[in-house]
Amino acid sequence: MSLPERLIAHLDMDAFYASVELLRYPELKGLPVVVGGRREHAPQLLADGTRRFARLRDYTGRGVATTSTYAARDLGVFSAMGLMKAALRAPDAILLPTDFESYRRYSRLFKAAVAEVAPVIEDRGIDEIYIDLSEVPGVREAVGHDPLGGARSVAREIKNSVLRATGLTCSIGITPNKLLSKIASELDKPDGLTLVMAEDLPTRIWPLPVRRINGIGPKAGARLAQMGLETIGQLAAADPGLLVERFGDHYGHWLLDAAHGRDARPVVTHSEPVSISRETTFERDLHAVHDKAELGRIFTRLCELLAGDLERKGILGRTIGIKLRFEGFVTVTRDVTLDHAVSSAADIRAAAGSCLKRVDLGKRLRLLGVRIGNLSRPGEAPPKLRTNGNRVRATDTSGELF
DNA sequence: TCTGGGGTCCTAGGACCC
DNA sequence: TCTGGGGTCCTAGGACCC
């Protein structure tokens, strides 16, 4: 076996939020625990020094589980599941509030620990990263009769560093690219270390369901199933013409590449945000007329939060949008592109308000959101603009439109 | 018992420019 | 007057991911 051009690792923290909570409440180890409650579900410290935890059966509201421990997963409770539904499956499971600040702190800790061993890291959210191991010293060295022994031992070093820095375990997959590594890191969870090379594709990857591929979601998965394509191997052997016919040129070819484990995407160590948003789901559905005052307050607050985010990041945006979700879960968006970038709550509120006027508000609302895009930094060359037609004017020095 | 919040990327039509 | 092709920007919606 010869080593591939690249060796990419995907590192995924094990049941991250729940595991961080277990560091605080070690007495919960081994129990079904679900993270996703509000602050009011925080454990109560009793007079005798013990803690009283909220149970899933006590929950009412519209929240979802963000994470569950492996014991809770055994009871059928998974992330993104509504907590009311989860309560039916596991009424006695412990419920904990989501504490993003803590998770972000541990996220910084584990990423810093990895960076000391292997610095080429791509952030993929709070609990996972890609690492390019290709140039890490020692990775390309065989150990004993194992040509991949070097990679294996660097991965063990990374896992040890993460454990030392955080007390948490993670799972790592190492393959020639990001797509395969993402799949591989899940093969031996928790606390796993899995290497998959090109020649292992038929035995390790092809028997897996197509949904394991990052980028095949519920819709594409269902359509593939309808075509009789359940496993990645079946997808790899599918007629390319048929895939393109059903899924379009771009996605059709991507499906085939993915099934064959082909992926040339680099590990991207830096990226700028494309858009920033704030949204909230109401405790009860609100009506534009009947609950006008409350909606107005919420709308203003979302704009203020968004302005705060922009200020902290030192950026402005030209495209302001709103998102509305009605009873029945129908979602609608509207946006407007201004002729200059803004960042204040008042400017955002004014633009978002104009978007709101373009929506029929007859039905009750369950969610309201505000978004800003077309981002730039102050002093940066302003984004290109149309100079004519029904679009905004680029250089509106005179103030005269006609 | 309906389904959080924060994102990215893609598609597709219309407008407009060259 | 009709016919064009390439390219960008704007807007809305949708799939997907963490």
Side-chain angles (χ1 to χ4, degrees), chain A residues 122-134:
Chain A
E122 176 175 334
D123 227 301
R124 291 308 300 188
I126 201 162
D127 70 338
E128 61 183 79
I129 53 176
Y130 289 103
I131 315 163
D132 194 334
L133 298 178
S134 307

Side-chain angles (χ1 to χ4, degrees), chain A residues 15-158:
Chain A
F16 185 54
Y17 299 176
S19 301
V20 170
E21 296 295 344
L22 289 187
L23 294 173
R24 258 196 286 209
Y25 310 120
E27 65 265 44
L28 297 181
K29 208 166 286 182
L31 298 179
V33 176
V34 177
V35 179
R38 301 177 294 268
R39 236 182 290 282
E40 64 192 81
H41 301 107
Q44 305 291 308
L45 193 58
L46 302 181
D48 64 359
T50 62
R51 292 192 185 89
R52 187 191 149 82
F53 292 95
R55 302 278 167 169
L56 216 40
R57 62 153 41 90
D58 303 325
Y59 181 86
T60 52
R62 292 176 153 173
V64 299
T66 56
T67 344
S68 49
T69 57
Y70 293 93
R73 293 177 199 189
D74 289 342
L75 298 173
V77 177
F78 302 96
S79 53
M81 179 180 286
L83 289 175
M84 297 292 271
K85 176 177 176 177
L88 292 180
R89 299 190 175 194
D92 295 316
I94 305 284
L95 176 64
L96 291 172
T98 318
D99 176 10
F100 279 105
E101 218 155 297
S102 284
Y103 313 147
R104 273 192 290 267
R105 196 168 67 243
Y106 278 93
S107 180
R108 285 192 293 270
L109 283 175
F110 97 74
K111 288 168 187 172
V114 174
E116 295 210 356
V117 181
V120 183
I121 293 173
E122 176 175 334
D123 227 301
R124 291 308 300 188
I126 201 162
D127 70 338
E128 61 183 79
I129 53 176
Y130 289 103
I131 315 163
D132 194 334
L133 298 178
S134 307
E135 306 303 326
V136 173
V139 159
R140 292 185 173 280
E141 286 165 25
V143 173
H145 296 294
D146 182 4
L148 289 167
R152 216 181 293 273
S153 78
V154 168
R156 282 202 203 93
E157 194 184 338
I158 289 172

Side-chain angles (χ1 to χ4, degrees), chain A residues 286-306:
Chain A
L286 299 178
H287 193 273
V289 175
H290 197 261
D291 303 300
K292 188 174 163 57
E294 188 175 0
L295 271 171
R297 280 193 297 274
I298 294 169
F299 192 30
T300 299
R301 201 172 70 87
L302 288 170
C303 294
E304 287 166 354
L305 288 170
L306 193 54

